[in-house]
Amino acid sequence: MRIVSWTRFLELSGDDPFPFPERIELTAREIEILNWCKYGKTTGDIGDLLSISTKTVEFHLANIMNKLGAPNRIAAVVIAIQRGLIAL
């Protein structure tokens, strides 16, 4: 619910706290991991669901956060939703 409220606030205010002039490209795996983060899954949960190690999940999360300029996975999910990279 918080993500929905935040997204709606941004729409109404017209502010863009995450300005990116360039188009951001995420891999299919990065999008998959972001979607699991959106549902509140832990790194271990995501590793189990995707049959990959937690280190690999952490690697992908670091790449995602770097590409999106996000300080953490929650911010990455919000930015990705705002940019239309993943669906709400």
Side-chain angles (χ1 to χ4, degrees), residues 47-61:
D48 291 342
L49 288 164
L50 301 179
S51 299
I52 58 178
S53 73
T54 56
K55 290 291 185 189
T56 302
V57 175
E58 290 169 1
F59 171 79
H60 287 300
L61 283 170

Side-chain angles (χ1 to χ4, degrees), residues 2 10-15 25 27-28 31 34-35 39 45-46 52-54 56 58 61 64 68-69 71 78 86 88:
R2 290 181 187 171
L10 292 176
E11 289 172 2
L12 293 173
S13 70
D15 290 339
E25 298 289 333
T27 66
I31 290 170
L34 262 182
N35 275 311
Y39 293 113
D45 292 340
I46 296 169
I52 58 178
S53 73
T54 56
T56 302
E58 290 169 1
L61 283 170
I64 292 165
L68 298 177
V78 171
I86 60 173
L88 185 61

Side-chain angles (χ1 to χ4, degrees), residues 71-88:
N72 57 53
R73 68 172 66 195
I74 295 171
V77 169
V78 171
I79 294 168
I81 290 169
Q82 182 186 22
R83 299 285 174 221
L85 299 170
I86 60 173
L88 185 61

Side-chain angles (χ1 to χ4, degrees), residues 5-24:
S5 299
W6 176 250
T7 304
R8 184 65 182 144
F9 168 77
L10 292 176
E11 289 172 2
L12 293 173
S13 70
D15 290 339
D16 190 359
F18 310 111
F20 289 106
E22 74 280 351
R23 172 111 174 103
I24 298 167

